[in-house]
Amino acid sequence: MLQLRKKTQNRRIGLSKLREGPVSVLQMDLFDPPPLQKFSLSRVFPTPTPTWKPKCDTTERRLAFVGRVLEDFSHQWRHVLRSGYNDSTFRRLARAILSIATLDFRVKEVAFSRAGVHGSLVWLNDLPEWEPFVDRVIHFDRVSVVLCQHLTLSMAAIRKDLGPRRLRLRQRDSSRSPSETACDRVTYVVLSVREVFLYKTSVSGELPSLYTEPEPLLNGTNLPSKRALEYLLMAAPLESVVSPIHKLPLEVQNMILENVSLGPLESARIGCLLAFGSAFQWKSNGREITRQEVLVNKHSAFPVESEIWFGDRLSGLVYR
């Protein structure tokens, strides 16, 4: 069965029809895809329903930029995300997702002439080659991210991380003020690549634990939910505090960003990190910025190519 899935419609046709001769899209049958299956946390937590609906302080600027890059990453690596993968590949995918969410990637800009590269940027037999995460729990300023391909095993990783925290807590003075008790909270972002949810608990055990419903992230077919992006962005650094440069007119801020790099993608990344300038519209000089499937011959007069790299490895994402 050959399927065509788009935002506006889904079509399919049997392979026997293709053997009879060429077919057009209109000859394919319309169909409704099955509803996305969500993982239930009933086997992990005793309470039957999620007990926490957090308010995520995420700006639309970061949400739009990170969401678009993650969607393109999902498309490029859809052959991996749709299938089963081992723990090594899972850790590489998790690193890519968190690198994009925290804007911790390198943009390599190509402005000179370059010969094209044969074949697609990412082909059917390609696997991620960048370095994987080594640790199971990654600590950020506001949250800790638990990498767990199977969500049923997430609590074991959380308990293991809470052990040293509780030991350090016992070594403190037992008399703590109410404000110190409030700081006793720790929030985990549990990431399985396909889904993500939040878990908040108390290191001392004095306060009840809370968790959210799992949200769909990257499965190679569906787009990540807005709530999933908000959970991921909790790992991102806080936006820059207001400084004198933020008080400049928006037009002047945009002019500054235009001169921090050759291409628009790196300027957009810096703008998201500093909460500076206008939201990125994925346009440059009136031209749409698009994801490249192949690296064709590039003339110096062509627009700058922006390649996203994780360490010393290309992510498979190139924009022009």
Side-chain angles (χ1 to χ4, degrees), residues 61-62 65-66 69 99-100 102-108 237 257 260-261 263-276 278 280 282 307-309:
R61 177 203 314 270
R62 283 192 180 183
F65 182 75
V66 170
V69 178
S99 296
I100 293 172
T102 59
L103 305 171
D104 184 22
F105 53 82
R106 181 166 60 95
V107 178
K108 180 180 177 181
L257 283 178
V260 301
S261 64
L265 195 72
E266 175 66 359
S267 298
R269 189 183 75 89
I270 298 298
C272 287
L273 282 172
L274 302 179
F276 192 69
S278 302
F280 190 45
W282 291 92
E307 304 173 352
I308 293 181
W309 289 64

mmCIF file of all heavy atoms in Angstrom, residues 61-62 65-66 69 99-100 102-108 237 257 260-261 263-276 278 280 282 307-309:
data_model
loop_
_atom_site.group_PDB
_atom_site.id
_atom_site.type_symbol
_atom_site.label_atom_id
_atom_site.label_comp_id
_atom_site.label_asym_id
_atom_site.label_seq_id
_atom_site.Cartn_x
_atom_site.Cartn_y
_atom_site.Cartn_z
ATOM 1 N N ARG A 61 8.103 33.255 19.989
ATOM 2 C CA ARG A 61 9.318 33.346 19.166
ATOM 3 C C ARG A 61 10.061 32.022 19.181
ATOM 4 O O ARG A 61 10.362 31.438 18.145
ATOM 5 C CB ARG A 61 10.196 34.472 19.707
ATOM 6 C CG ARG A 61 11.534 34.642 18.980
ATOM 7 C CD ARG A 61 12.551 35.329 19.876
ATOM 8 N NE ARG A 61 11.993 36.474 20.554
ATOM 9 C CZ ARG A 61 12.017 37.715 20.067
ATOM 10 N NH1 ARG A 61 12.581 37.941 18.909
ATOM 11 N NH2 ARG A 61 11.499 38.707 20.753
ATOM 12 N N ARG A 62 10.357 31.517 20.380
ATOM 13 C CA ARG A 62 11.080 30.245 20.488
ATOM 14 C C ARG A 62 10.215 29.077 20.049
ATOM 15 O O ARG A 62 10.700 28.137 19.414
ATOM 16 C CB ARG A 62 11.539 30.032 21.933
ATOM 17 C CG ARG A 62 12.742 30.846 22.331
ATOM 18 C CD ARG A 62 13.292 30.375 23.653
ATOM 19 N NE ARG A 62 14.447 31.149 24.055
ATOM 20 C CZ ARG A 62 15.156 30.914 25.150
ATOM 21 N NH1 ARG A 62 14.810 29.915 25.943
ATOM 22 N NH2 ARG A 62 16.192 31.652 25.465
ATOM 23 N N PHE A 65 10.219 28.884 16.198
ATOM 24 C CA PHE A 65 11.517 28.537 15.612
ATOM 25 C C PHE A 65 11.897 27.089 15.913
ATOM 26 O O PHE A 65 12.226 26.316 15.012
ATOM 27 C CB PHE A 65 12.595 29.483 16.133
ATOM 28 C CG PHE A 65 13.965 29.236 15.547
ATOM 29 C CD1 PHE A 65 14.256 29.622 14.253
ATOM 30 C CD2 PHE A 65 14.944 28.595 16.290
ATOM 31 C CE1 PHE A 65 15.506 29.387 13.700
ATOM 32 C CE2 PHE A 65 16.193 28.354 15.758
ATOM 33 C CZ PHE A 65 16.486 28.748 14.463
ATOM 34 N N VAL A 66 11.838 26.711 17.195
ATOM 35 C CA VAL A 66 12.202 25.349 17.586
ATOM 36 C C VAL A 66 11.231 24.341 16.976
ATOM 37 O O VAL A 66 11.638 23.267 16.512
ATOM 38 C CB VAL A 66 12.230 25.225 19.119
ATOM 39 C CG1 VAL A 66 12.371 23.773 19.550
ATOM 40 C CG2 VAL A 66 13.376 26.048 19.686
ATOM 41 N N VAL A 69 12.149 23.701 13.259
ATOM 42 C CA VAL A 69 13.376 22.914 13.103
ATOM 43 C C VAL A 69 13.134 21.456 13.500
ATOM 44 O O VAL A 69 13.611 20.530 12.828
ATOM 45 C CB VAL A 69 14.524 23.527 13.921
ATOM 46 C CG1 VAL A 69 15.784 22.671 13.805
ATOM 47 C CG2 VAL A 69 14.826 24.946 13.444
ATOM 48 N N SER A 99 19.339 19.401 21.791
ATOM 49 C CA SER A 99 20.206 20.432 21.197
ATOM 50 C C SER A 99 19.376 21.460 20.448
ATOM 51 O O SER A 99 19.646 22.665 20.515
ATOM 52 C CB SER A 99 21.223 19.793 20.257
ATOM 53 O OG SER A 99 22.103 18.929 20.957
ATOM 54 N N ILE A 100 18.356 21.000 19.746
ATOM 55 C CA ILE A 100 17.479 21.920 19.022
ATOM 56 C C ILE A 100 16.643 22.732 20.007
ATOM 57 O O ILE A 100 16.501 23.953 19.871
ATOM 58 C CB ILE A 100 16.580 21.146 18.043
ATOM 59 C CG1 ILE A 100 17.426 20.531 16.915
ATOM 60 C CG2 ILE A 100 15.515 22.063 17.447
ATOM 61 C CD1 ILE A 100 16.655 19.584 16.014
ATOM 62 N N THR A 102 17.229 23.553 23.098
ATOM 63 C CA THR A 102 18.027 24.516 23.863
ATOM 64 C C THR A 102 18.850 25.431 22.973
ATOM 65 O O THR A 102 19.638 26.234 23.480
ATOM 66 C CB THR A 102 18.969 23.771 24.825
ATOM 67 O OG1 THR A 102 19.824 22.901 24.072
ATOM 68 C CG2 THR A 102 18.176 22.943 25.828
ATOM 69 N N LEU A 103 18.668 25.301 21.655
ATOM 70 C CA LEU A 103 19.399 26.119 20.674
ATOM 71 C C LEU A 103 20.909 25.918 20.783
ATOM 72 O O LEU A 103 21.693 26.804 20.466
ATOM 73 C CB LEU A 103 19.054 27.607 20.845
ATOM 74 C CG LEU A 103 17.555 27.943 20.776
ATOM 75 C CD1 LEU A 103 17.315 29.390 21.163
ATOM 76 C CD2 LEU A 103 17.016 27.670 19.382
ATOM 77 N N ASP A 104 21.297 24.724 21.240
ATOM 78 C CA ASP A 104 22.706 24.403 21.450
ATOM 79 C C ASP A 104 23.236 23.614 20.254
ATOM 80 O O ASP A 104 23.619 22.451 20.379
ATOM 81 C CB ASP A 104 22.877 23.620 22.749
ATOM 82 C CG ASP A 104 24.339 23.350 23.078
ATOM 83 O OD1 ASP A 104 25.204 24.086 22.573
ATOM 84 O OD2 ASP A 104 24.612 22.394 23.835
ATOM 85 N N PHE A 105 23.207 24.232 19.088
ATOM 86 C CA PHE A 105 23.762 23.613 17.891
ATOM 87 C C PHE A 105 24.575 24.659 17.140
ATOM 88 O O PHE A 105 24.470 25.858 17.400
ATOM 89 C CB PHE A 105 22.659 23.032 16.993
ATOM 90 C CG PHE A 105 21.564 24.019 16.646
ATOM 91 C CD1 PHE A 105 21.713 24.935 15.612
ATOM 92 C CD2 PHE A 105 20.359 24.029 17.356
ATOM 93 C CE1 PHE A 105 20.710 25.838 15.281
ATOM 94 C CE2 PHE A 105 19.348 24.918 17.045
ATOM 95 C CZ PHE A 105 19.520 25.825 16.010
ATOM 96 N N ARG A 106 25.384 24.177 16.222
ATOM 97 C CA ARG A 106 26.250 25.071 15.450
ATOM 98 C C ARG A 106 25.684 25.248 14.046
ATOM 99 O O ARG A 106 25.276 24.274 13.419
ATOM 100 C CB ARG A 106 27.666 24.485 15.373
ATOM 101 C CG ARG A 106 28.667 25.341 14.601
ATOM 102 C CD ARG A 106 30.077 24.856 14.864
ATOM 103 N NE ARG A 106 30.283 23.484 14.451
ATOM 104 C CZ ARG A 106 30.786 23.142 13.252
ATOM 105 N NH1 ARG A 106 31.093 24.070 12.367
ATOM 106 N NH2 ARG A 106 30.968 21.865 12.955
ATOM 107 N N VAL A 107 25.629 26.486 13.594
ATOM 108 C CA VAL A 107 25.169 26.788 12.242
ATOM 109 C C VAL A 107 26.397 27.099 11.383
ATOM 110 O O VAL A 107 27.093 28.096 11.616
ATOM 111 C CB VAL A 107 24.182 27.972 12.224
ATOM 112 C CG1 VAL A 107 23.763 28.284 10.783
ATOM 113 C CG2 VAL A 107 22.953 27.658 13.071
ATOM 114 N N LYS A 108 26.657 26.227 10.421
ATOM 115 C CA LYS A 108 27.756 26.442 9.488
ATOM 116 C C LYS A 108 27.202 27.094 8.232
ATOM 117 O O LYS A 108 26.290 26.564 7.599
ATOM 118 C CB LYS A 108 28.428 25.108 9.131
ATOM 119 C CG LYS A 108 29.576 25.234 8.161
ATOM 120 C CD LYS A 108 30.185 23.873 7.864
ATOM 121 C CE LYS A 108 31.299 23.974 6.837
ATOM 122 N NZ LYS A 108 31.878 22.640 6.522
ATOM 123 N N PRO A 237 17.687 27.708 28.133
ATOM 124 C CA PRO A 237 18.068 28.790 29.058
ATOM 125 C C PRO A 237 17.013 29.882 29.075
ATOM 126 O O PRO A 237 16.324 30.111 28.082
ATOM 127 C CB PRO A 237 19.396 29.295 28.486
ATOM 128 C CG PRO A 237 19.385 28.868 27.050
ATOM 129 C CD PRO A 237 18.623 27.581 27.015
ATOM 130 N N LEU A 257 20.691 42.281 14.280
ATOM 131 C CA LEU A 257 20.668 40.836 14.045
ATOM 132 C C LEU A 257 21.091 40.489 12.624
ATOM 133 O O LEU A 257 21.729 39.456 12.389
ATOM 134 C CB LEU A 257 19.270 40.276 14.316
ATOM 135 C CG LEU A 257 18.878 40.090 15.781
ATOM 136 C CD1 LEU A 257 17.453 39.572 15.889
ATOM 137 C CD2 LEU A 257 19.834 39.116 16.473
ATOM 138 N N VAL A 260 24.908 39.973 12.448
ATOM 139 C CA VAL A 260 25.655 39.057 13.311
ATOM 140 C C VAL A 260 26.094 37.808 12.565
ATOM 141 O O VAL A 260 26.921 37.047 13.068
ATOM 142 C CB VAL A 260 24.812 38.667 14.559
ATOM 143 C CG1 VAL A 260 24.432 39.881 15.360
ATOM 144 C CG2 VAL A 260 23.596 37.857 14.172
ATOM 145 N N SER A 261 25.541 37.561 11.373
ATOM 146 C CA SER A 261 25.907 36.383 10.596
ATOM 147 C C SER A 261 25.637 36.640 9.126
ATOM 148 O O SER A 261 24.972 37.611 8.754
ATOM 149 C CB SER A 261 25.121 35.154 11.071
ATOM 150 O OG SER A 261 23.742 35.346 10.847
ATOM 151 N N GLY A 263 23.999 34.419 7.073
ATOM 152 C CA GLY A 263 22.666 33.925 6.742
ATOM 153 C C GLY A 263 21.655 34.244 7.823
ATOM 154 O O GLY A 263 22.011 34.586 8.961
ATOM 155 N N PRO A 264 20.376 34.073 7.522
ATOM 156 C CA PRO A 264 19.321 34.437 8.472
ATOM 157 C C PRO A 264 19.100 33.425 9.593
ATOM 158 O O PRO A 264 18.571 33.781 10.642
ATOM 159 C CB PRO A 264 18.082 34.540 7.585
ATOM 160 C CG PRO A 264 18.359 33.619 6.430
ATOM 161 C CD PRO A 264 19.838 33.676 6.198
ATOM 162 N N LEU A 265 19.510 32.161 9.412
ATOM 163 C CA LEU A 265 19.203 31.146 10.416
ATOM 164 C C LEU A 265 19.972 31.389 11.714
ATOM 165 O O LEU A 265 19.402 31.302 12.807
ATOM 166 C CB LEU A 265 19.517 29.753 9.874
ATOM 167 C CG LEU A 265 18.909 28.605 10.689
ATOM 168 C CD1 LEU A 265 17.401 28.543 10.478
ATOM 169 C CD2 LEU A 265 19.537 27.276 10.309
ATOM 170 N N GLU A 266 21.249 31.692 11.610
ATOM 171 C CA GLU A 266 22.038 31.966 12.814
ATOM 172 C C GLU A 266 21.547 33.237 13.496
ATOM 173 O O GLU A 266 21.508 33.306 14.733
ATOM 174 C CB GLU A 266 23.524 32.080 12.452
ATOM 175 C CG GLU A 266 24.429 32.480 13.596
ATOM 176 C CD GLU A 266 24.507 31.433 14.702
ATOM 177 O OE1 GLU A 266 23.847 30.381 14.599
ATOM 178 O OE2 GLU A 266 25.235 31.687 15.687
ATOM 179 N N SER A 267 21.143 34.224 12.719
ATOM 180 C CA SER A 267 20.579 35.449 13.308
ATOM 181 C C SER A 267 19.312 35.125 14.090
ATOM 182 O O SER A 267 19.079 35.665 15.178
ATOM 183 C CB SER A 267 20.272 36.471 12.208
ATOM 184 O OG SER A 267 21.447 36.853 11.525
ATOM 185 N N ALA A 268 18.492 34.238 13.545
ATOM 186 C CA ALA A 268 17.262 33.844 14.232
ATOM 187 C C ALA A 268 17.580 33.100 15.521
ATOM 188 O O ALA A 268 16.904 33.290 16.544
ATOM 189 C CB ALA A 268 16.409 32.976 13.315
ATOM 190 N N ARG A 269 18.594 32.253 15.508
ATOM 191 C CA ARG A 269 18.975 31.520 16.716
ATOM 192 C C ARG A 269 19.432 32.489 17.806
ATOM 193 O O ARG A 269 19.021 32.362 18.970
ATOM 194 C CB ARG A 269 20.084 30.518 16.398
ATOM 195 C CG ARG A 269 20.410 29.552 17.518
ATOM 196 C CD ARG A 269 21.574 28.637 17.145
ATOM 197 N NE ARG A 269 22.836 29.359 17.199
ATOM 198 C CZ ARG A 269 23.587 29.458 18.305
ATOM 199 N NH1 ARG A 269 23.198 28.876 19.434
ATOM 200 N NH2 ARG A 269 24.726 30.121 18.279
ATOM 201 N N ILE A 270 20.265 33.440 17.434
ATOM 202 C CA ILE A 270 20.732 34.436 18.401
ATOM 203 C C ILE A 270 19.568 35.270 18.910
ATOM 204 O O ILE A 270 19.475 35.582 20.102
ATOM 205 C CB ILE A 270 21.802 35.336 17.768
ATOM 206 C CG1 ILE A 270 23.030 34.508 17.364
ATOM 207 C CG2 ILE A 270 22.203 36.456 18.717
ATOM 208 C CD1 ILE A 270 23.730 33.837 18.508
ATOM 209 N N GLY A 271 18.648 35.620 18.008
ATOM 210 C CA GLY A 271 17.487 36.395 18.414
ATOM 211 C C GLY A 271 16.628 35.647 19.433
ATOM 212 O O GLY A 271 16.100 36.249 20.375
ATOM 213 N N CYS A 272 16.505 34.330 19.270
ATOM 214 C CA CYS A 272 15.739 33.524 20.229
ATOM 215 C C CYS A 272 16.455 33.453 21.578
ATOM 216 O O CYS A 272 15.818 33.510 22.635
ATOM 217 C CB CYS A 272 15.513 32.121 19.683
ATOM 218 S SG CYS A 272 14.307 32.019 18.339
ATOM 219 N N LEU A 273 17.775 33.299 21.546
ATOM 220 C CA LEU A 273 18.524 33.215 22.789
ATOM 221 C C LEU A 273 18.448 34.511 23.592
ATOM 222 O O LEU A 273 18.350 34.489 24.823
ATOM 223 C CB LEU A 273 19.991 32.875 22.499
ATOM 224 C CG LEU A 273 20.323 31.425 22.176
ATOM 225 C CD1 LEU A 273 21.764 31.301 21.719
ATOM 226 C CD2 LEU A 273 20.074 30.526 23.379
ATOM 227 N N LEU A 274 18.480 35.648 22.902
ATOM 228 C CA LEU A 274 18.523 36.943 23.578
ATOM 229 C C LEU A 274 17.162 37.620 23.671
ATOM 230 O O LEU A 274 17.071 38.711 24.235
ATOM 231 C CB LEU A 274 19.501 37.876 22.844
ATOM 232 C CG LEU A 274 20.947 37.384 22.707
ATOM 233 C CD1 LEU A 274 21.784 38.407 21.947
ATOM 234 C CD2 LEU A 274 21.549 37.119 24.084
ATOM 235 N N ALA A 275 16.116 36.976 23.118
ATOM 236 C CA ALA A 275 14.791 37.618 23.067
ATOM 237 C C ALA A 275 14.913 38.988 22.430
ATOM 238 O O ALA A 275 14.460 40.005 22.964
ATOM 239 C CB ALA A 275 14.176 37.714 24.467
ATOM 240 N N PHE A 276 15.510 38.995 21.255
ATOM 241 C CA PHE A 276 15.921 40.243 20.614
ATOM 242 C C PHE A 276 15.398 40.268 19.189
ATOM 243 O O PHE A 276 15.453 39.272 18.470
ATOM 244 C CB PHE A 276 17.457 40.314 20.623
ATOM 245 C CG PHE A 276 18.023 41.648 20.263
ATOM 246 C CD1 PHE A 276 17.872 42.731 21.116
ATOM 247 C CD2 PHE A 276 18.720 41.824 19.081
ATOM 248 C CE1 PHE A 276 18.406 43.963 20.787
ATOM 249 C CE2 PHE A 276 19.260 43.047 18.750
ATOM 250 C CZ PHE A 276 19.097 44.121 19.602
ATOM 251 N N SER A 278 12.618 40.923 15.878
ATOM 252 C CA SER A 278 11.310 40.381 15.524
ATOM 253 C C SER A 278 11.351 38.856 15.490
ATOM 254 O O SER A 278 12.422 38.251 15.352
ATOM 255 C CB SER A 278 10.882 40.898 14.144
ATOM 256 O OG SER A 278 10.834 42.307 14.117
ATOM 257 N N PHE A 280 11.182 35.267 13.940
ATOM 258 C CA PHE A 280 11.674 34.802 12.651
ATOM 259 C C PHE A 280 10.512 34.303 11.805
ATOM 260 O O PHE A 280 9.727 33.457 12.237
ATOM 261 C CB PHE A 280 12.696 33.692 12.874
ATOM 262 C CG PHE A 280 13.460 33.294 11.650
ATOM 263 C CD1 PHE A 280 13.979 34.243 10.795
ATOM 264 C CD2 PHE A 280 13.674 31.953 11.357
ATOM 265 C CE1 PHE A 280 14.695 33.880 9.664
ATOM 266 C CE2 PHE A 280 14.387 31.578 10.240
ATOM 267 C CZ PHE A 280 14.896 32.537 9.391
ATOM 268 N N TRP A 282 10.925 32.948 8.670
ATOM 269 C CA TRP A 282 11.441 31.996 7.687
ATOM 270 C C TRP A 282 11.402 32.588 6.272
ATOM 271 O O TRP A 282 11.048 31.932 5.308
ATOM 272 C CB TRP A 282 10.688 30.669 7.735
ATOM 273 C CG TRP A 282 10.986 29.926 9.002
ATOM 274 C CD1 TRP A 282 10.282 29.993 10.177
ATOM 275 C CD2 TRP A 282 12.097 29.055 9.262
ATOM 276 N NE1 TRP A 282 10.875 29.222 11.138
ATOM 277 C CE2 TRP A 282 11.975 28.622 10.609
ATOM 278 C CE3 TRP A 282 13.145 28.586 8.483
ATOM 279 C CZ2 TRP A 282 12.905 27.756 11.186
ATOM 280 C CZ3 TRP A 282 14.056 27.711 9.052
ATOM 281 C CH2 TRP A 282 13.925 27.312 10.386
ATOM 282 N N GLU A 307 23.802 25.265 7.489
ATOM 283 C CA GLU A 307 23.818 23.857 7.873
ATOM 284 C C GLU A 307 23.801 23.747 9.396
ATOM 285 O O GLU A 307 24.552 24.450 10.080
ATOM 286 C CB GLU A 307 25.065 23.163 7.324
ATOM 287 C CG GLU A 307 25.235 23.284 5.817
ATOM 288 C CD GLU A 307 26.559 22.721 5.338
ATOM 289 O OE1 GLU A 307 27.394 22.372 6.215
ATOM 290 O OE2 GLU A 307 26.764 22.624 4.121
ATOM 291 N N ILE A 308 22.943 22.903 9.930
ATOM 292 C CA ILE A 308 22.887 22.675 11.368
ATOM 293 C C ILE A 308 23.752 21.466 11.709
ATOM 294 O O ILE A 308 23.557 20.382 11.158
ATOM 295 C CB ILE A 308 21.438 22.463 11.837
ATOM 296 C CG1 ILE A 308 20.635 23.767 11.667
ATOM 297 C CG2 ILE A 308 21.392 22.000 13.286
ATOM 298 C CD1 ILE A 308 19.200 23.663 12.121
ATOM 299 N N TRP A 309 24.703 21.679 12.623
ATOM 300 C CA TRP A 309 25.637 20.635 13.025
ATOM 301 C C TRP A 309 25.497 20.363 14.513
ATOM 302 O O TRP A 309 25.300 21.277 15.312
ATOM 303 C CB TRP A 309 27.084 21.065 12.731
ATOM 304 C CG TRP A 309 27.424 21.091 11.266
ATOM 305 C CD1 TRP A 309 26.878 21.898 10.303
ATOM 306 C CD2 TRP A 309 28.381 20.279 10.602
ATOM 307 N NE1 TRP A 309 27.439 21.638 9.079
ATOM 308 C CE2 TRP A 309 28.370 20.646 9.223
ATOM 309 C CE3 TRP A 309 29.258 19.274 11.024
ATOM 310 C CZ2 TRP A 309 29.197 20.045 8.285
ATOM 311 C CZ3 TRP A 309 30.095 18.674 10.087
ATOM 312 C CH2 TRP A 309 30.052 19.055 8.735
#
